[in-house]
């Protein structure tokens, strides 16, 4: 199963969720491969900071040939997570071609939802010739007890993809664990951040399992 995290906007949580979901799937006994498709190499940098043993390999393929290069490597893994580039360019297109499922992290504000337009268009375009390609939004950095946190789902109503019911809150633990080369599951296993990541991973896996039947 290949999941691409994409959003042309930078700073929405692609890398954060890619790393943490990869670790959550590894904790669920999946053989995981994390592909860093961002020329900035943030996921690779994270793995380089790490001092404890890796639970999954991180490979940099920031190239438009990603969808051609990946099949030869993906066979050894249950779950391949692609951390996508900012901007909807040829690499993003390639990450969509490679994927079974595109996950679009978006922060809960109308401006951020509008900013996914190009990414959404690329996925819709890809779906016209590959019906099995699925996509969903995941709300990241939800701020609880604010109107914008509560009403955000309505703002996605016109979008062609569903919003996953499991969202990720605004939690400082994501930045703190990243700086240590750890996931939130490793750095703070009892935190709310870790709990949310586990629930999200479980939900994605359930959904993919259902789709592949
Ligand atoms: N749920 C969250 N809570 C708090 N900070 C977050 C959250 N998600 C991402 N961040 C922070 O936002 C910044 C950008 O996230 P990143 O994953 O690098 O985005 P992208 O890969 O889309 O550019 C990082 O500093 C990261 O730690
Ligand atoms: Mg990134």
């Amino acid at each position: 199963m290949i999941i691409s995290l994409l959003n042309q906007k930078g700073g929405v949580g692609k890398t954060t969720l890619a790393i943490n979901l990869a670790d959550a799937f590894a904790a669920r006994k999946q053989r995981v491969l994390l592909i860093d498709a961002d020329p900035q190499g943030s996921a690779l940098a994270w793995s380089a900071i790490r001092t404890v043993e890796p639970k999954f390999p991180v490979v940099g393929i920031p190239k438009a040939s990603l969808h051609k290069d990946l099949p030869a490597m993906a066979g050894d893994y249950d779950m391949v997570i692609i951390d996508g580039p900012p901007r909807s360019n040829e690499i993003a297109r390639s990450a969509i071609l490679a994927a079974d499922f595109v996950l679009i992290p978006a922060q809960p504000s109308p401006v951020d939802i509008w900013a996914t337009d190009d990414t959404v268009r690329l996925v819709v375009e890809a779906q016209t010739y590959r019906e099995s390609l699925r996509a969903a939004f995941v709300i990241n950095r939800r701020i609880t007890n604010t109107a914008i946190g509560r009403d955000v789902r309505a703002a996605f109503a016109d979008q062609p993809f569903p919003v996953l019911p499991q969202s990720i809150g605004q939690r400082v633990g994501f930045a703190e664990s990243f700086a240590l080369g750890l996931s939130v599951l490793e750095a703070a296993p009892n935190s709310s951040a870790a709990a949310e990541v586990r629930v999200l991973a479980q939900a994605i896996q359930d959904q993919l399992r259902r789709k592949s039947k």
Side-chain angles (χ1 to χ4, degrees):
M1 202 53 70
I2 303 180
I3 303 176
S4 283
L5 282 108
L6 288 169
N7 186 334
Q8 78 228 40
K9 191 166 161 40
V12 297
K14 294 181 289 295
T15 302
T16 302
L17 294 185
I19 286 168
N20 284 286
L21 284 173
D23 195 49
F25 289 128
R28 296 170 63 83
K29 307 282 176 244
Q30 304 273 298
R31 290 166 300 171
V32 176
L33 172 65
L34 178 57
I35 302 288
D36 189 340
D38 182 351
Q40 283 177 357
S42 312
L44 280 174
W46 170 84
S47 72
I49 306 167
R50 195 176 166 85
T51 54
V52 300
E53 204 179 316
K55 298 219 187 88
F56 48 86
V58 184
V59 178
I61 314 183
K63 294 187 206 149
S65 60
L66 178 57
H67 61 289
K68 291 183 192 143
D69 301 340
L70 198 54
M73 317 170 67
D76 293 335
Y77 299 94
D78 303 308
M79 198 61 93
V80 179
I81 310 282
I82 300 175
D83 177 18
R87 285 186 287 282
S88 42
N89 53 17
E90 292 308 310
I91 300 176
R93 212 179 282 265
S94 182
I96 291 168
L97 287 175
D100 300 298
F101 188 70
V102 175
L103 194 57
I104 306 174
Q107 293 182 26
S109 89
V111 178
D112 285 287
I113 297 166
W114 298 330
T116 64
D117 268 10
D118 286 350
T119 304
V120 167
R121 202 172 309 123
L122 280 186
V123 176
V124 168
E125 194 181 291
Q127 282 177 327
T128 61
Y129 48 90
R130 197 151 55 86
E131 259 179 56
S132 62
L133 176 64
R134 288 289 163 265
F137 291 95
V138 58
I139 294 169
N140 184 32
R141 307 189 89 155
R142 187 198 64 247
I143 301 162
T144 41
N145 299 324
T146 61
I148 208 156
R150 281 194 299 274
D151 301 341
V152 68
R153 278 167 205 285
F156 286 94
D158 296 335
Q159 294 293 328
F161 315 130
V163 184
L164 296 182
Q166 302 78 14
S167 58
I168 301 287
Q170 166 69 31
R171 315 231 180 247
V172 70
F174 285 109
E176 288 171 350
S177 56
F178 187 99
L180 300 169
L182 299 172
S183 73
V184 285
L185 307 189
E186 294 171 310
N190 300 319
S191 63
S192 302
E196 286 176 351
V197 168
R198 281 191 208 102
V199 169
L200 181 61
Q202 162 93 58
I204 292 170
Q205 203 153 13
D206 288 348
Q207 185 158 351
L208 292 176
R209 208 172 280 138
R210 239 176 287 133
K211 295 257 153 64
S212 63
K213 271 183 195 158

